[in-house]
Amino acid sequence: MSTKWVYLFNEGDATMRNLLGGKGANLAEMSKIGLPVPQGFTITTEACTQYYEDGRKINDEIMGQVMDGVAKMEEINGKKFGDLKNPLLVSVRSGARASMPGMMDTILNLGLNDDVVAAMIAGNSDPKFERFVYDSYRRFIQMFSDVVMEVGKKYFEQLIDKMKEEKGVKFDVELTAADLKTLAEQFKAEYKNQIGSDFPADPVEQLKLAVEAVFKSWDNPRANVYRRDNDIPYSWGTAVNVMPMVFGNLNDESGTGVAFTRDPATGEKKLMGEFLKNAQGEDVVAGVRTPMPISQMEQEFPEAYAEFIKVCDILENHYHDMQDMEFTVENQKLYMLQCRNGKRTAPAALKIACDLVDEGHKTEEEAVAMIDPRNLDTLLHPQFDAKALKSATPLGKGLGASPGAACGKVVFSAEDAEAWAARGEKVVLVRLETSPEDITGMKVSQGILTVRGGMTSHAAVVARGMGTCCVSGCGDIAIDEIAKQFTLGGKIFTEGSEISIDGTTGNIYGEIIPTVPASISGEFGRVMAWADKYRKLRVRTNADTPADAKRARELGAEGIGLCRTEHMFFEESRIEAFREMICSDTQEEREAALAKILPYQQTDFEQLYEALEGCPVTIRFLDPPLHEFVPTEEKDITKLAYKQGKSVEKIKEYISSLHEFNPMMGHRGIRLAVTYPEIAKMQTKAVIRAAVNVSKKHPDWNVKPEIMIPLVCDVKELKQVKKVVVETADAEIEASGTKLEYSVGTMIEIPRAALTADDIAKEADFFCFGTNDLTQMTFGFSRDDAGKFLEAYYDTKIFENDPFAKLDQTGVGKLMKMAIDLGKPVNPNLHVGICGEHGGDPTSVEFCHKIGLDYVSCSPFRVPIARLAAAQAAIAQKSN
């Protein structure tokens, strides 16, 4: 049997969203429950997929079913497509299963041509009707040219403005039938001028071209970027909805409007919307004329308004959610053109979810499931003032690497950031790329902007941890860090220039845009309490400082899943001692230098244990290659040489000897501990002494340090380093005269570790997936350089997502599952978590739940997102 590509509205319902798209499914559902919907049909999402499989052509079978749909629509509505006596005019709208801004706009009044226009006017002598027909015709030509044939709107807008100027009028509605007739002729001439052929007169050809344009728009650049940012697969395709026209621009007894059953900004339960008399849908959105508030519709069209209020109640009670509706009134009669669950701000989403539970529309689980976890970001970070943002134009765009909004004066180095901030200036740090030594400057900056690097670059990871706004990888910037200037969008920025960056969208503005602070309402706590009730996954945080740990605890973190000890070495007093250790000739010299660092590390860990109040703390031993810690400035090299009583040349030799061709796969992680076991000894002493002290101070807390050895690839290396750790730890505990439990585990971040997890599990108390490195090593991509070529992979549909931002479940995920399946039978007490940046990505959290992880760990500001995503994963699994 051949595939059914076309469904009449009365053949579908809301459950068929995947096939009919959101708009088509809701039109079918509204028809089914008896609401006044003009009866048309939907061309399925499968037809869109087929269009691409057929080399971007609509095959004869699909087109045949479309024309059958037209015939049935003619029958239902008593009008004929292209007929001169009683013509059927239609609208064509796109409708994917997920709402997609950037997809093809609506086309209204399709089916008009010179002959149909003349026949319609001949059949009705009212001069107002003649004006309406020409108004509809010029709109159709303009929309069709712009939307289907991609002739810019501006050409037509210029012609309209010129006509209004000549006639001395301000609004389109003041133009006469004769003016509009002239405009229609001018529009057709402009079309021919731009396209090189006459405007299509055959309604069937118009329809085919319009349907094709909807399918094409699924693959336009805006749609592709939106899909990538919102986890919408390319394979879904879009549906097309064709329905008979109802005319809000017929006369003064007609109009059109858009409304929400609750306020989409605040969530308040009141009807919100706008209405325009004698207008078509685009007029409300375009803002050419000022619409009236929806409540005023009651005075103009009392009967239609009363019916509309009833429809609002029916829809809210039917869908049990806030509705966004489009409607038209023709000759005082109401027609519903669209309904959907309305888009809302994060505060509104929380309020609506709570209200719907209180009103009996939703259970707690359903309320938790209806909130997009990614929206919570906006609650936790400052945002740009919406009004000010509307009038600002971005100069460029990078990756929205850490959410929030930031504005300030441009600085080009961490030192300058500190100096300017100390003077009370707000600064945005602009770098080619950041490195660990920039951390102090990053801390005092409002925002960070980098030319290189992706979603898991140093800048992105550190900024997310600090809750600082960051835009990374803006390759359009031409930067000269020495001259302290950069160029973007034709504008030159120097030190002190004003700039604003949006860490959510990646947009960059050459001006100061006011921000509004983040606000968390009582509903936030209520929804989070529900999420905690239903989730199975624990949620920890990646935190290196007591301040980060405290903030994460406030946001609901249940422990630290990753403390990166190297970030603690960069403060001035410590970095000197660490550099001495690196440039030592003997083990004795190294141990003497490490002894200077030991009290600092111990204090750091004590403060972390205090902040966590007995919750688990996982401390990762030193991971980066040593070259990241050595001085690069001549004055710092000279200072180090003097301290160690060595020549500058000798120190430069040490530094040069640390150079590696591929440092990410070089002398780092466990390899440092194998080469210099004294580093692991010092860190173990600090971890255990701190734990002993805090345990004595708080005997009711369960302080049980988790020591994590990074970058293991073979069980024998883990065994060797673990021996050093255990001997040192046991000696420290014995010397303290107390009892203390601790565990030693490893990060799984090399594919070989996942493949041999059954061996490694014999020595490890826990596994933690470091998915940043695991992704890097599985794909063979450098995470800092991949941004240069990933765009080409998106354009050619090789990839739909950045694998560093969204976990690759097919490859990296398979390795994770394999490691769990191999490790758990060998060590039934093995607990397993994830501490890469994927730990805060909702779809990745869902995957972690499915494969049986015990916890996810993410940056502090992503903790609420992970809590909500974990609950949604558990609820979804329960209902399947």
Side-chain angles (χ1 to χ4, degrees):
M1 191 181 149
S2 65
T3 308
K4 186 169 171 65
W5 305 109
V6 172
Y7 286 77
L8 296 176
F9 292 164
N10 60 19
E11 293 179 315
D13 61 44
T15 63
M16 296 168 72
R17 190 181 186 88
N18 293 1
L19 188 65
L20 304 179
K23 203 172 284 183
N26 286 336
L27 285 165
E29 188 72 9
M30 284 198 289
S31 301
K32 187 177 167 184
I33 61 175
L35 298 187
V37 176
Q39 288 302 298
F41 61 83
T42 301
I43 306 167
T44 66
T45 53
E46 289 175 355
C48 177
T49 308
Q50 191 63 43
Y51 165 82
Y52 284 102
E53 281 176 16
D54 290 340
R56 294 181 177 241
K57 287 187 183 74
I58 299 177
N59 69 37
D60 292 343
E61 188 183 343
I62 293 172
M63 204 56 212
Q65 288 193 25
V66 169
M67 293 319 293
D68 289 345
V70 169
K72 285 173 186 159
M73 193 163 65
E74 289 173 335
E75 207 177 299
I76 294 165
N77 292 281
K79 296 179 177 183
K80 283 191 89 61
F81 200 47
D83 187 56
L84 298 185
K85 286 197 182 78
N86 194 9
L88 174 68
L89 304 182
V90 299
S91 66
V92 178
R93 290 179 168 91
S94 63
R97 66 167 101 159
S99 177
M100 286 267 303
M103 285 287 294
M104 196 201 85
D105 297 322
T106 301
I107 297 165
L108 304 177
N109 312 320
L110 189 140
L112 284 174
N113 57 31
D114 289 354
D115 294 340
V116 170
V117 165
M120 283 173 77
I121 292 166
N124 188 327
S125 58
D126 185 347
K128 284 184 181 171
F129 184 75
E130 183 186 4
R131 189 199 173 282
F132 149 72
V133 174
Y134 279 119
D135 182 43
S136 302
Y137 195 25
R138 67 91 193 167
R139 285 170 188 270
F140 170 54
I141 299 165
Q142 183 177 351
M143 278 184 179
F144 189 91
S145 307
D146 172 31
V147 173
V148 177
M149 307 308 288
E150 294 175 0
V151 175
K153 228 183 234 170
K154 61 178 182 183
Y155 299 108
F156 303 102
E157 297 292 354
Q158 285 162 3
L159 289 169
I160 294 171
D161 290 343
K162 190 168 164 240
M163 173 70 78
K164 286 196 288 199
E165 204 178 308
E166 282 172 12
K167 299 292 176 184
V169 299
K170 194 176 172 187
F171 297 114
D172 299 2
V173 283
E174 296 172 281
L175 294 171
T176 65
D179 299 337
L180 293 168
K181 181 179 183 180
T182 307
L183 268 183
E185 294 305 322
Q186 289 175 354
F187 281 10
K188 283 191 294 176
E190 187 60 42
Y191 177 94
K192 189 167 186 176
N193 181 32
Q194 295 288 336
I195 299 290
S197 59
D198 288 328
F199 188 83
D202 177 11
V204 175
E205 189 191 349
Q206 291 171 358
L207 181 60
K208 186 174 182 180
L209 287 168
V211 170
E212 215 168 313
V214 175
F215 288 160
K216 264 190 207 155
S217 72
W218 180 247
D219 195 26
N220 73 29
R222 285 180 310 172
N224 284 328
V225 168
Y226 184 85
R227 265 202 303 277
R228 202 158 64 235
D229 290 347
N230 291 278
D231 299 332
I232 297 169
Y234 177 71
S235 57
W236 279 7
T238 181
V240 186
N241 298 293
V242 180
M243 62 198 290
M245 281 298 305
V246 282
F247 298 99
N249 63 330
L250 181 62
N251 50 36
D252 284 338
E253 301 291 293
S254 308
T256 187
V258 175
F260 297 87
T261 55
R262 298 175 193 236
D263 187 329
T266 66
E268 191 186 341
K269 189 174 184 181
K270 61 171 185 184
L271 187 62
M272 289 278 294
E274 295 179 321
F275 183 77
L276 253 182
K277 265 172 56 170
N278 199 346
Q280 287 199 325
E282 54 173 321
D283 300 327
V284 181
V285 185
V288 180
R289 287 157 56 196
T290 307
M292 59 177 86
I294 192 82
S295 54
Q296 259 180 266
M297 180 181 155
E298 187 171 11
Q299 281 91 60
E300 302 291 339
F301 308 129
E303 285 173 27
Y305 182 77
E307 189 180 359
F308 180 64
I309 295 296
K310 274 188 207 155
V311 167
C312 290
D313 284 345
I314 290 167
L315 287 174
E316 260 224 359
N317 289 322
H318 187 76
Y319 284 104
H320 304 293
D321 199 351
M322 183 262 269
Q323 293 301 298
D324 167 1
M325 302 153 297
E326 288 177 23
F327 64 94
T328 285
V329 173
E330 181 184 298
N331 277 331
Q332 296 276 0
K333 181 166 168 37
L334 176 73
Y335 294 93
M336 298 302 297
L337 306 182
Q338 179 178 333
C339 78
R340 61 180 171 192
N341 293 343
K343 286 208 178 307
R344 60 207 74 178
T345 63
L350 295 173
K351 177 165 173 51
I352 290 168
C354 291
D355 286 352
L356 290 172
V357 170
D358 294 341
E359 291 163 22
H361 284 291
K362 298 273 184 199
T363 63
E364 290 173 359
E365 283 144 296
E366 286 167 340
V368 165
M370 71 187 280
I371 297 167
D372 183 346
R374 289 167 306 195
N375 267 1
L376 297 182
D377 255 344
T378 59
L379 289 174
L380 308 171
H381 301 278
Q383 301 296 316
F384 286 126
D385 177 70
K387 204 173 172 188
L389 193 62
K390 264 187 182 170
S391 56
T393 308
L395 288 175
K397 192 177 168 72
L399 297 168
S402 180
C407 55
K409 293 180 175 174
V410 170
V411 292
F412 290 88
S413 71
E415 295 78 26
D416 290 338
E418 287 181 90
W420 283 59
R423 298 201 303 265
E425 298 275 13
K426 290 187 170 185
V427 296
V428 173
L429 178 62
V430 183
R431 304 281 284 145
L432 188 63
E433 58 199 335
T434 62
S435 65
E437 64 203 39
D438 289 323
I439 194 105
T440 49
M442 293 170 77
K443 272 183 182 166
V444 298
S445 299
Q446 304 296 309
I448 297 144
L449 170 61
T450 69
V451 182
R452 291 190 192 144
M455 295 296 278
T456 56
S457 62
H458 175 268
V461 172
V462 173
R464 279 197 290 271
M466 297 191 299
T468 300
C469 166
C470 175
V471 173
S472 63
C474 180
D476 293 339
I477 289 176
I479 193 169
D480 183 338
E481 288 184 313
I482 294 155
K484 294 188 177 179
Q485 70 170 51
F486 73 88
T487 311
L488 176 65
K491 181 175 168 130
I492 295 170
F493 291 79
T494 54
E495 189 174 53
S497 294
E498 294 185 332
I499 193 169
S500 295
I501 60 173
D502 188 329
T504 307
T505 62
N507 284 339
I508 302 155
Y509 304 87
E511 61 190 286
I512 296 283
I513 303 171
T515 59
V516 289
S519 62
I520 294 178
S521 65
E523 280 102 1
F524 177 81
R526 195 175 172 204
V527 170
M528 285 294 122
W530 293 337
D532 293 341
K533 188 170 161 184
Y534 297 108
R535 68 185 163 87
K536 303 279 188 288
L537 273 173
R538 316 302 291 169
V539 178
R540 297 191 189 183
T541 189
N542 303 341
D544 315 324
T545 66
D548 283 352
K550 190 170 180 298
R551 189 180 293 138
R553 287 282 289 139
E554 286 163 3
L555 293 170
E558 298 163 294
I560 290 179
L562 172 66
C563 166
R564 311 172 187 88
T565 50
E566 61 273 6
H567 284 180
M568 299 167 165
F569 292 154
F570 279 98
E571 283 179 20
E572 205 164 326
S573 49
R574 307 159 185 220
I575 194 73
E576 287 181 9
F578 200 69
R579 285 169 175 171
E580 283 177 41
M581 190 279 298
I582 293 169
C583 295
S584 297
D585 290 315
T586 65
Q587 184 174 334
E588 288 72 30
E589 279 184 8
R590 277 194 297 276
E591 285 175 344
L594 287 165
K596 292 180 188 176
I597 300 170
L598 174 56
Y600 291 122
Q601 282 262 278
Q602 184 180 325
T603 306
D604 288 334
F605 297 146
E606 282 181 18
Q607 289 176 342
L608 280 179
Y609 295 145
E610 288 277 358
L612 267 294
E613 301 174 339
C615 292
V617 177
T618 306
I619 293 165
R620 180 179 77 183
F621 277 9
L622 190 65
D623 185 41
L626 295 179
H627 79 85
E628 286 195 11
F629 300 94
V630 294
T632 52
E633 308 258 325
E634 195 70 32
K635 65 176 182 354
D636 294 332
I637 294 170
T638 308
K639 191 176 175 184
L640 181 60
Y642 174 76
K643 273 209 150 185
Q644 291 206 270
K646 294 174 179 167
S647 69
V648 169
E649 280 61 43
K650 181 75 174 161
I651 297 294
K652 284 184 175 174
E653 275 176 34
Y654 280 125
I655 292 169
S656 168
S657 71
L658 293 172
H659 171 75
E660 293 179 303
F661 289 106
N662 193 341
M664 289 309 287
M665 298 173 80
H667 193 190
R668 54 173 284 221
I670 195 171
R671 298 155 200 173
L672 289 170
V674 169
T675 321
Y676 306 120
E678 50 273 26
I679 297 177
K681 279 182 189 170
M682 181 278 286
Q683 291 202 289
T684 304
K685 284 177 184 175
V687 166
I688 299 299
R689 287 178 190 179
V692 166
N693 286 351
V694 174
S695 288
K696 283 178 177 172
K697 197 172 160 189
H698 301 282
D700 53 327
W701 290 0
N702 179 25
V703 180
K704 184 186 171 187
E706 298 177 358
I707 293 170
M708 184 156 72
I709 314 291
L711 220 73
V712 167
C713 69
D714 191 290
V715 66
K716 290 193 288 295
E717 62 179 348
L718 176 60
K719 199 171 186 177
Q720 184 169 328
V721 173
K722 185 184 174 185
K723 184 171 182 285
V724 172
V725 170
V726 169
E727 284 174 2
T728 308
D730 289 352
E732 287 292 329
I733 294 166
E734 195 176 334
S736 75
T738 58
K739 285 186 172 181
L740 181 81
E741 287 184 33
Y742 66 93
S743 57
V744 181
T746 184
M747 284 183 94
I748 304 288
E749 44 195 336
I750 293 175
R752 191 178 189 278
L755 296 167
T756 60
D758 45 350
D759 289 333
I760 291 172
K762 291 169 191 166
E763 294 295 329
D765 297 320
F766 63 87
F767 285 168
C768 186
F769 293 103
T771 49
N772 300 351
D773 269 330
L774 187 58
T775 298
Q776 184 164 240
M777 302 233 192
T778 304
F779 279 92
F781 290 162
S782 157
R783 71 184 186 204
D784 291 324
D785 299 309
K788 292 173 188 168
F789 56 80
L790 278 178
E791 280 301 327
Y793 276 59
Y794 303 144
D795 291 345
T796 50
K797 307 294 183 294
I798 295 169
F799 286 173
E800 286 194 39
N801 298 94
D802 177 350
F804 293 108
K806 185 182 172 192
L807 186 70
D808 159 45
Q809 297 180 14
T810 315
V812 176
K814 191 179 279 186
L815 285 170
M816 289 169 69
K817 188 169 186 323
M818 185 186 294
I820 296 168
D821 292 346
L822 289 171
K824 286 242 177 173
V826 174
N827 180 355
N829 296 323
L830 188 82
H831 72 262
V832 187
I834 179 176
C835 62
E837 278 302 301
H838 296 107
D841 168 63
T843 52
S844 307
V845 171
E846 183 183 16
F847 178 74
C848 292
H849 171 87
K850 277 181 186 164
I851 63 169
L853 262 65
D854 297 298
Y855 69 88
V856 297
S857 187
C858 55
S859 53
F861 285 96
R862 285 190 162 188
V863 167
I865 294 172
R867 287 163 68 194
L868 187 57
Q872 290 178 347
I875 290 163
Q877 192 175 50
K878 192 171 129 188
S879 59
N880 282 347

